Amino acid sequence: MPIRRASLHTLLLRVGPASLVGDALNDLRTRPRAAEWLLIYRQGAGYVVLGLADLAARAAADPALLARRFVDLAAPISLTIDADADLDTARARLGASGYLMVLRDDQPYGVLAATPGTLAGAPAQALLDHSRSWSSSPATLSEDAQLPHPAAAVPAVFESIAHRNDRYVNTDFASDEQPDRAIDKQRALRPGQWCYFRMSIGEIEDSSIEARPTLLPTPLLDHAAELRVVIFSEFFMVTEDTGIFYLPGDGPASVRVPASTPAGLAPDAALLRERLLFRLHVPARVGLADLRVNLYSNGMLIQSRLVTARVGVGRPLAEGGAQRMAVLDFNLSATLAPGLLSAIAPHTLSIMLNSDSAGNQSFRLLGQQGQELFANSATLGAGEVADLIALARGALQRATWGYPGEWDGQAPYRYDPATPAGVLQAQFADDLFTLAAEGARFYAAIKNNLGQGKQGAADLRALMRRPGVVQMAAKIAASDIVPIGLLYDYRLDSQASLTICPQFEASLASDRALASEPCFCGECPSRDDLSVVCPSGFWGFRHDIGMPTPTPNGPELALTIGYANQPLIDMAVYADFPLLPGHLARVDQLAAVVQRQSQREQITSMFHTTQPQLVYFYCHGLLQGTKPALKVGSLGNPGYFTLDSWSNLAIEWPQARPLMFINGCHTTAITPAQALNLVKVLVEDVEAAGVLGTEITIFEPLAQAFAELLLPLFLAGMPLGRAVRTARLGLLAQRNLLGLAYTAHAYADLRLVKSG
């Protein structure tokens, strides 16, 4: 068994015989903690193990060495030993060499080192800093670059094995006959044959079909986590679709629960410990075939990749003639760090919408309740999902200003506080029936297309009966974002003479908090009555929903927002809203330090000089050309924050990671795609923890009412998804359905946490 590392942080980097020393150094130069890396090179029957100190010493003795290939190096300075050999023998063999290569199955597995402290140093770092020119010409080094070998500097005391701790995800295919050997990437899959799709987490492998392999270095944390892998496909027949990886806080990942087990392979075989294997039947039809591979932590989707394979003869999919390719198109965790993954709150359901190579769109669902796992998918034709989304948003627009489609700038707000009670009650019933009909139509399209048919639909309905945490895993594409808060999963005959749920009416009359009432706890007596509509049938009134934004080039997913004494709110306002003074007076009463500005220059200065936990834009939203903008200032002196403003003005909060609340009133014709561009910039560039915004145009009374319900809850430490749902129910208690217009583009369990 390998020994856990104690204090040694050595990292391993393998190079091949075609690598120049200078090239390898340039590679090292780009890596974190570069001086702690070792270069590993196979030479004959052994291995060369070199650190920067070794290279510095050798280059000083022979400057021309820097332009030579590794094959020209002198005899190896390292010895080798099998990973399972006696450690006393390892200590003895370490001797004066400084490093001892540890092998497993004849492959580099770790390094025994005399001491970690000798791997770095000023001369070695100087060598690294000047390495740019070495790959093209020799360099002359000063005498201060001559370093003693590590073993000459300190006693050769055995420390530990430095495991490779890479977090690459490798994917490839193997034949049914040889599951331990990857099929050449340039060979297409044979139609109608059985094969294995394989996945591992660790060192990057030559056989991997990942389009853009990304190094995922894991910090040394005292955490461990499990990653559930689920595969979906409408092309391949899948025999086992689920397996589990174990990611320790320190050391290599391993398989905890296998997926498929090849016949004749022992359960404890090394192959099954290191890789998940999924047995597939290749489609008989020649062409392209897709496979969706999702990684979940605690039921929340962390990564998703689309695997596309050529079946039969055809044009390669990538340079070099590759016939298979995996594209990571959804990534919430840049590092797969166990400390992050283990802290994720358990999710009832994760739902993802994605497009395949044929233009169809598929919902990928994973849910877990107790020990029962629900993993399924539903596929709809091209354009069908877009039509359903448009109808659902149209019903929300109709409830707000009286007709579907963008607000014309003139129509009044239908839920104005001055609306007479009788009128309000009648239009509430009408809007409830309309919204429920569209939400039920959307839900039916998903459940009717589930891969397991009626049983899958029944399982989903049972899973979602009681309140839970739900993730809408949206990629960076508006076509893949669904307003799932509008899904309605109670049985409904939209052509019947509809009435409102009596239990809901009784709960309203009681003045008790709706969140604790039977309908909103999974016990609605009318959920199977086709002619009765209950607001608790909407997912947005029954579940805590988050839509965290993937940031391929940005920060890790934010789980908490820390503060010291009191949370700080930076508020940017448009000063000419008629109802603004009253709202500001109520915001000032919150349990937080509130500072606000109206003019763009002062807002920018405020942002540069503070580390807020919440950034609150109470503003206009509009388009400048085709780009969304936030309008602050006043009618006489307006100011704008556009997509490019944030980076050009150097506005970012990498330490504070605030929640950004965009309460944009009277927003004009900003499409979901344009709004998503703004969300992406705020999360990826500004490094916000998330963005709270709206699905449609809203009016000032709604903006104030929702904010004044939500902000005290979030400031008190309530998770964002729960605070959004509670605020929605607060509006619902006033017979206002429009809390469903708000969407949290953030982790559902995001919360404020006081330090100290």
Side-chain angles (χ1 to χ4, degrees):
M1 294 295 292
I3 298 176
R4 300 298 182 196
R5 103 180 67 187
S7 58
L8 182 61
H9 295 177
T10 306
L11 303 169
L12 311 183
L13 173 68
R14 246 204 286 188
V15 296
S19 298
L20 294 172
V21 176
D23 292 336
L25 285 171
N26 283 330
D27 191 355
L28 279 178
R29 190 175 182 278
T30 65
R31 295 173 181 265
R33 304 199 311 269
E36 298 178 6
W37 285 78
L38 298 177
L39 301 178
I40 309 302
Y41 168 68
R42 184 158 191 166
Q43 183 169 327
Y47 288 81
V48 174
V49 184
L50 296 173
L52 285 176
D54 301 301
L55 290 170
R58 289 181 178 226
D62 182 5
L65 178 67
L66 295 170
R68 296 181 187 173
R69 298 184 184 278
F70 274 102
V71 73
D72 294 330
L73 290 174
I77 63 168
S78 68
L79 301 173
T80 61
I81 191 169
D82 187 82
D84 297 321
D86 181 71
L87 291 176
D88 290 333
T89 304
R91 291 189 184 92
R93 294 184 63 183
L94 183 61
S97 68
Y99 306 115
L100 179 69
M101 172 60 64
V102 179
L103 304 179
R104 180 179 179 184
D105 298 328
D106 199 37
Q107 292 297 316
Y109 183 65
V111 172
L112 299 183
T115 177
T118 58
L119 298 180
Q125 188 62 49
L127 179 67
L128 185 67
D129 292 341
H130 290 86
S131 65
R132 282 184 173 178
S133 62
W134 292 359
S135 59
S136 57
S137 62
T140 301
L141 300 179
S142 61
E143 290 187 2
D144 63 358
Q146 298 181 20
L147 296 179
H149 193 276
V154 296
V157 179
F158 174 77
E159 289 282 346
S160 61
I161 293 180
H163 302 294
R164 277 198 79 125
N165 224 17
D166 295 358
R167 301 294 189 194
Y168 286 106
V169 174
N170 295 292
T171 54
D172 59 28
F173 284 78
S175 68
D176 198 38
E177 298 80 15
Q178 293 183 300
D180 59 339
R181 180 175 298 180
I183 301 173
D184 189 316
K185 288 183 282 191
Q186 297 183 0
R187 286 174 50 198
L189 298 179
R190 292 180 297 169
Q193 301 296 308
W194 286 95
C195 68
Y196 287 98
F197 171 75
R198 311 190 313 170
M199 174 178 283
S200 66
I201 298 176
E203 178 186 354
I204 189 65
E205 298 173 346
D206 292 338
S207 65
S208 180
I209 62 173
E210 295 292 304
R212 183 176 289 181
T214 304
L215 183 65
L216 307 173
T218 304
L220 299 178
L221 300 173
D222 294 328
H223 296 280
E226 288 187 350
L227 276 181
R228 183 180 294 274
V229 180
V230 182
I231 64 174
F232 307 88
S233 182
E234 285 73 47
F235 297 86
F236 294 90
M237 185 174 75
V238 181
T239 57
E240 292 84 20
D241 61 4
T242 302
I244 298 176
F245 278 113
Y246 173 69
L247 274 66
D250 176 27
S254 61
V255 173
R256 171 154 286 178
V257 178
S260 302
T261 301
L265 200 61
D268 60 346
L271 179 64
L272 294 180
R273 294 197 306 268
E274 297 170 358
R275 299 178 189 276
L276 281 176
L277 278 68
F278 299 88
R279 193 165 186 256
L280 312 174
H281 189 263
V282 181
R285 183 177 179 180
V286 171
L288 296 179
D290 290 341
L291 188 70
R292 173 62 60 178
V293 184
N294 287 356
L295 277 68
Y296 298 89
S297 179
N298 272 332
M300 182 178 180
L301 183 65
I302 298 299
Q303 286 190 351
S304 183
R305 46 190 31 83
L306 181 65
V307 178
T308 303
R310 172 72 65 185
V311 177
V313 180
R315 189 171 55 189
L317 299 177
E319 294 181 7
Q323 298 284 357
R324 288 172 298 286
M325 183 168 57
V327 176
L328 180 65
D329 55 10
F330 179 89
N331 188 18
L332 277 185
S333 173
T335 65
L336 293 182
L340 170 77
L341 302 181
S342 64
I344 290 174
H347 279 54
T348 303
L349 184 77
S350 173
I351 180 170
M352 181 187 191
L353 177 64
N354 71 272
S355 304
D356 64 22
S357 58
N360 300 315
Q361 287 185 290
S362 298
F363 289 91
R364 312 299 188 184
L365 297 88
L366 180 129
Q368 197 158 8
Q369 192 173 47
Q371 298 301 313
E372 295 183 17
L373 178 69
F374 173 88
N376 224 322
S377 62
T379 301
L380 287 77
E384 189 175 354
V385 174
D387 291 343
L388 290 168
I389 292 174
L391 289 171
R393 286 200 176 106
L396 200 57
Q397 292 165 333
R398 179 183 178 277
T400 307
W401 55 79
Y403 53 86
E406 293 300 330
W407 181 54
D408 62 6
Q410 302 296 322
Y413 176 48
R414 296 179 68 244
Y415 284 82
D416 189 277
T419 304
V423 174
L424 178 64
Q425 189 161 352
Q427 72 182 27
F428 170 77
D430 182 52
D431 293 338
L432 175 62
F433 300 156
T434 302
L435 274 171
E438 295 299 345
R441 183 177 292 114
F442 204 151
Y443 179 78
I446 298 173
K447 67 140 178 116
N448 290 344
N449 286 277
L450 285 173
Q452 294 176 358
K454 291 182 179 180
Q455 185 57 51
D459 290 345
L460 176 62
R461 192 164 184 259
L463 175 73
M464 300 300 288
R465 176 170 179 165
R466 301 187 185 282
V469 180
V470 179
Q471 174 199 22
M472 176 68 217
K475 297 188 297 180
I476 305 296
S479 61
D480 292 329
I481 291 182
V482 175
I484 62 172
L486 294 174
L487 293 181
Y488 186 89
D489 64 359
Y490 289 0
R491 302 192 191 282
L492 178 66
D493 179 3
S494 62
Q495 304 306 307
S497 179
L498 300 176
T499 60
I500 297 177
C501 173
Q503 176 60 60
F504 168 71
E505 290 286 10
S507 296
L508 277 189
S510 73
D511 285 332
R512 293 187 297 266
L514 292 179
S516 301
E517 290 297 288
C519 291
F520 299 91
C521 295
E523 300 299 334
C524 178
S526 304
R527 68 191 302 265
D528 292 320
D529 191 325
L530 296 176
S531 63
V532 176
V533 179
C534 183
S536 65
F538 291 100
W539 281 14
F541 287 134
R542 204 167 72 245
H543 300 295
D544 303 347
I545 299 174
M547 192 181 298
T549 302
T551 56
N553 303 309
E556 273 287 10
L557 174 69
L559 305 184
T560 60
I561 302 172
Y563 68 96
N565 298 314
Q566 276 192 307
L568 172 63
I569 300 176
D570 278 1
M571 189 173 179
V573 303
Y574 180 76
D576 287 345
F577 282 127
L579 303 180
L580 178 63
H583 185 49
L584 295 182
R586 291 184 288 273
V587 169
D588 284 341
Q589 300 303 310
L590 295 171
V593 176
V594 182
Q595 55 182 11
R596 56 177 174 267
Q597 297 290 343
S598 176
Q599 297 305 312
R600 185 176 186 269
E601 294 77 11
Q602 282 71 40
I603 292 172
T604 302
S605 177
M606 175 177 67
F607 288 165
H608 282 157
T609 56
T610 59
Q611 291 292 315
Q613 282 68 53
L614 181 70
V615 176
Y616 181 22
F617 270 86
Y618 187 76
C619 61
H620 273 301
L622 73 163
L623 291 176
Q624 287 192 342
T626 60
K627 306 298 183 184
L630 305 177
K631 181 180 178 181
V632 294
S634 61
L635 183 62
N637 187 20
Y640 303 91
F641 286 88
T642 57
L643 289 180
D644 61 325
S645 298
W646 307 95
S647 58
N648 289 334
L649 296 174
I651 299 172
E652 57 182 22
W653 291 286
Q655 289 81 35
R657 303 293 307 275
L659 173 67
M660 300 194 71
F661 184 9
I662 310 299
N663 218 3
C665 303
H666 301 171
T667 302
T668 54
I670 294 181
T671 67
Q674 293 161 335
L676 183 61
N677 287 335
L678 177 59
V679 170
K680 181 177 181 293
V681 167
L682 295 179
V683 174
E684 188 164 281
D685 297 340
V686 181
E687 300 198 40
V691 180
L692 179 60
T694 60
E695 291 280 346
I696 61 170
T697 293
I698 59 170
F699 291 77
E700 195 177 3
L702 174 61
Q704 291 194 5
F706 186 84
E708 290 166 18
L709 287 166
L710 176 131
L711 290 175
L713 301 171
F714 186 67
L715 291 171
M718 183 179 286
L720 180 61
R722 179 71 51 81
V724 169
R725 178 165 70 98
T726 305
R728 287 171 174 165
L729 292 176
L731 288 173
L732 181 62
Q734 304 168 33
R735 295 190 184 275
N736 188 331
L737 296 159
L738 299 180
L740 293 172
Y742 283 85
T743 298
H745 295 270
Y747 170 55
D749 209 52
L750 177 70
R751 66 184 75 196
L752 288 170
V753 175
K754 187 174 183 178
S755 60

